[in-house]
Amino acid sequence: MSTTDETLAAIEAAVTEVPGVTDLYRARPTVASAVQAVRSIATNAGPLLRAVVDDDGVLRVVIGTDGVRPAPEVARAVHDAALATATALGLSLSRVDVRVARVG
């Protein structure tokens, strides 16, 4: 597993700990992440990561929420947790894109 993969795994762990997050879905892949996913499946080399960083430095995260806390509030908390984790681990991002795929 590469350093970027380890960082993304840590971001995913931080996101799933945010109150109100029930699911973490695979973000729409970039070409590079799609190739990584195929290699990972073919070789059983490491986890299939759901968070994706595209070529422009945008972190993409897709979540499901529990419906108890308002989805925008959960999405903001996910943004903050993902950005703080990325920053702490030295991953420079241009922005964090959080999408809510499911509420409740």
Side-chain angles (χ1 to χ4, degrees):
M1 188 173 352
S2 73
T3 303
T4 302
D5 289 348
E6 292 170 354
T7 301
L8 289 174
I11 291 169
E12 289 181 6
V15 166
T16 58
E17 294 296 317
V18 172
V21 173
T22 58
D23 295 301
L24 182 60
Y25 302 103
R26 180 129 175 92
R28 184 172 67 197
T30 62
V31 172
S33 68
V35 169
Q36 182 269 339
V38 169
R39 284 184 183 152
S40 178
I41 291 168
T43 62
N44 273 341
L48 187 59
L49 297 169
R50 296 164 288 186
V52 173
V53 177
D54 69 15
D55 296 334
D56 295 326
V58 177
L59 173 67
R60 298 185 189 284
V61 180
V62 181
I63 61 169
T65 66
D66 62 10
V68 176
R69 289 179 65 194
E73 180 181 310
V74 175
R76 280 190 293 277
V78 165
H79 172 277
D80 294 345
L83 184 59
T85 303
T87 301
L89 296 174
L91 180 62
S92 178
L93 301 171
S94 61
R95 78 171 194 264
V96 177
D97 180 21
V98 178
R99 305 221 176 163
V100 177
R102 185 179 60 77
V103 176

